[in-house]
């Protein structure tokens, strides 16, 4: 054979040449792999979308790539936590598309109790979903929990993960939540809350309850002064006949009868008492159902939800700086 006729020097030279060819082969192969990976890594951020974008951005796009959709509401802490996780995962798994959308834009009347919700799309259809973070401890959930779920359903490929920073740092750093102008910090362990959860829940309930503890809990600090009845609040009511909803223009022309607190709701005439001058004044009105505040010009101002529950919201800001000599405010509540 050819090798049998070569001396030691010739064999050594051939060996070096063979090594070079093998290295070049692997180099070319690795370059092709890197080019292919770069071609796939088209994303890298958590993008917010709206309802009109959903089909093209999610359903249609998922025929070629995996798409992870976060249904969220801005004021829910668990959603803020999930957004932080997904923002980091989007940088690490750039071949997967990560998007977020306000829950009620994606699914009308979608309950906040189911948030955060993840929808995982692939092959042009939804392949999996995660509802809430309860399985991972709620606010104690870690990014690695969500990452493991996405790996298991096939939405992200561990072999294509980009290393962003030391994972141990991620586990130990506090979690920050933007609460308007203030900022709350939650440390990792929370053992003081979890050791006796029933006692903690009971204490929190008493702090918020509108009952025997009302004079010493959060309710005692919410408002500097309260006023009810004439001349601060004078109410009149007109009940629309039948089941058809009247127009605003028709309703305000009808004859209204005086009522007291506890009666069925109607329009309210608000007059600022002396002790509230210069203060932020709110109208508290619990219709024991959903209601809508209208201006005297027929402008819808704000929704109200009464009768307790998670969505309880019965205050409307009349003015942020009250003046005694300003004109009487006329509001209609439907």
């Amino acid at each position: 054979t050819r090798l049998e006729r070569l001396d030691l020097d010739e064999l050594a030279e051939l060996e070096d040449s063979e090594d070079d060819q093998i290295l070049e082969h692997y180099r070319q192969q690795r370059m092709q792999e890197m080019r292919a990976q770069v071609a796939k890594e088209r994303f890298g951020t958590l993008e917010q979308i709206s309802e009109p974008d959903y089909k093209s951005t999610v359903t249609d796009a998922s025929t070629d790539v995996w798409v992870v959709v976060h249904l969220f509401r801005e004021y829910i802490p668990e959603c803020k936590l999930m957004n932080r996780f997904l923002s980091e995962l989007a940088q690490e798994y750039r071949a997967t598309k990560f998007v977020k959308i306000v829950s009620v834009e994606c699914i009308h009347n979608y309950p906040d109790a189911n948030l955060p919700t993840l929808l995982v799309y692939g092959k042009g259809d939804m392949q999996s979903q995660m509802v809430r973070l309860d399985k991972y401890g709620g606010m104690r959930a870690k990014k690695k929990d969500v990452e493991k779920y996405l790996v298991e359903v096939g939405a992200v490929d561990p072999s294509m993960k980009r290393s962003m920073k030391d994972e141990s740092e991620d586990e130990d750093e506090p979690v920050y939540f933007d609460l308007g102008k203030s900022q709350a910090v939650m440390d990792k362990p929370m053992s003081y809350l979890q050791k006796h959860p029933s006692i903690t829940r009971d204490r929190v309930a008493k702090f918020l309850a509108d009952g025997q503890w009302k004079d010493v809990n959060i309710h005692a600090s919410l408002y500097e002064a309260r006023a009810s009845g004439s001349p601060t609040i004078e109410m009149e009511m007109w009940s629309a006949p039948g089941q058809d909803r009247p127009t605003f223009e028709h309703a305000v022309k009808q004859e209204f009868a005086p009522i007291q607190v506890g009666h069925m709701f109607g329009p309210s005439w608000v007059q600022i008492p002396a002790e509230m001058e210069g203060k932020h004044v709110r109208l508290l009105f619990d219709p024991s159902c959903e209601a809508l505040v209208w201006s005297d010009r027929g402008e819808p101002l704000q929704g109200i939800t009464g009768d307790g529950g998670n969505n309880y919201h019965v205050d409307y800001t009349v003015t942020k700086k009250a003046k005694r000599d300003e004109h009487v405010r006329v509001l209609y509540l439907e």
Side-chain angles (χ1 to χ4, degrees):
T1 64
R2 175 173 172 264
L3 293 177
E4 291 175 342
R5 295 194 298 269
L6 299 177
D7 59 24
L8 293 178
D9 291 336
E10 290 172 328
L11 284 172
E13 184 177 349
L14 177 62
E15 185 178 21
D16 293 339
S17 175
E18 292 288 344
D19 289 343
D20 290 342
Q21 291 178 13
I22 292 173
L23 288 174
E24 178 62 20
H25 171 75
Y26 283 120
R27 189 176 73 85
Q28 292 295 333
Q29 182 178 350
R30 181 58 183 147
M31 288 181 65
Q32 291 177 3
E33 292 173 353
M34 291 174 66
R35 291 192 190 100
Q37 182 170 339
V38 169
K40 291 180 180 179
E41 293 182 339
R42 294 180 283 161
F43 308 107
T45 61
L46 176 61
E47 175 190 0
Q48 181 161 349
I49 63 173
S50 57
E51 182 181 11
D53 307 322
Y54 197 89
K55 185 176 184 298
S56 60
T57 307
V58 177
T59 309
D60 295 345
S62 68
T63 58
D64 298 320
V65 298
W66 284 92
V67 182
V68 178
V69 184
H70 178 206
L71 274 56
F72 78 103
R73 294 297 288 269
E74 199 66 54
Y75 59 85
I76 297 178
E78 288 87 348
C79 291
K80 291 179 179 289
L81 183 64
M82 180 65 81
N83 278 335
R84 186 174 74 92
F85 292 162
L86 297 180
S87 293
E88 295 178 7
L89 290 170
Q91 296 179 57
E92 295 170 344
Y93 295 97
R94 301 192 177 196
T96 299
K97 190 173 189 177
F98 289 85
V99 300
K100 62 180 181 178
I101 181 172
V102 175
S103 58
V104 291
E105 287 188 23
C106 180
I107 304 174
H108 295 291
N109 298 319
Y110 191 73
D112 288 355
N114 290 347
L115 301 178
T117 295
L118 289 188
L119 306 178
V120 180
Y121 278 74
K123 302 176 182 178
D125 200 359
M126 188 172 70
Q127 301 297 322
S128 181
Q129 62 179 332
M130 174 200 294
V131 178
R132 298 175 57 88
L133 285 171
D134 294 352
K135 179 180 178 181
Y136 304 111
M139 291 301 297
R140 291 179 296 149
K142 298 288 181 282
K143 183 182 74 173
K144 64 182 181 182
D145 298 323
V146 179
E147 181 179 13
K148 181 180 178 182
Y149 162 74
L150 295 177
V151 169
E152 290 175 349
V153 300
V156 297
D157 183 356
S159 67
M160 298 184 66
K161 181 179 180 180
R162 287 196 179 195
S163 178
M164 304 304 295
K165 63 178 179 177
D166 185 357
E167 292 294 331
S168 62
E169 294 179 8
D170 178 69
E171 294 301 318
D172 293 334
E173 66 179 22
V175 179
Y176 294 86
F177 300 105
D178 181 11
L179 303 177
K181 295 182 179 179
S182 63
Q183 190 177 64
V185 181
M186 183 189 74
D187 293 327
K188 175 190 173 186
M190 289 185 63
S191 58
Y192 53 94
L193 291 178
Q194 300 302 321
K195 187 174 182 180
H196 303 291
S198 60
I199 295 176
T200 300
R201 285 194 293 267
D202 182 59
R203 289 175 177 171
V204 171
K206 289 178 179 177
F207 182 68
L208 301 174
D210 186 12
Q212 61 175 325
W213 306 102
K214 182 177 180 180
D215 294 335
V216 294
N217 65 10
I218 193 173
H219 291 275
S221 303
L222 282 177
Y223 307 104
E224 295 185 34
R226 287 175 178 259
S228 181
S230 180
T232 303
I233 302 290
E234 294 183 359
M235 295 191 295
E236 295 184 353
M237 178 197 72
W238 169 71
S239 294
Q243 300 296 317
D244 295 331
R245 179 181 179 181
T247 65
F248 179 85
E249 292 77 10
H250 174 73
V252 298
K253 294 177 181 178
Q254 306 308 307
E255 184 176 348
F256 289 77
I259 61 170
Q260 301 298 321
V261 173
H263 204 282
M264 295 182 65
F265 63 90
S268 299
W269 282 260
V270 181
Q271 190 174 20
I272 306 300
E275 63 269 25
M276 294 186 182
E277 187 169 6
K279 304 295 184 181
H280 187 139
V281 178
R282 295 182 177 88
L283 171 66
L284 302 180
F285 187 87
D286 187 345
S288 297
C289 61
E290 291 185 346
L292 182 62
V293 181
W294 294 79
S295 74
D296 57 357
R297 298 183 299 275
E299 302 167 335
L301 301 176
Q302 179 187 298
I304 285 179
T305 303
D307 203 26
N310 294 332
N311 297 319
Y312 188 73
H313 178 63
V314 295
D315 62 291
Y316 168 75
T317 294
V318 177
T319 176
K320 293 185 177 180
K321 191 172 182 180
K323 297 179 182 179
R324 289 214 66 200
D325 57 351
E326 62 183 290
H327 67 280
V328 175
R329 305 286 183 92
V330 179
L331 300 173
Y332 292 86
L333 292 99
E334 177 188 16

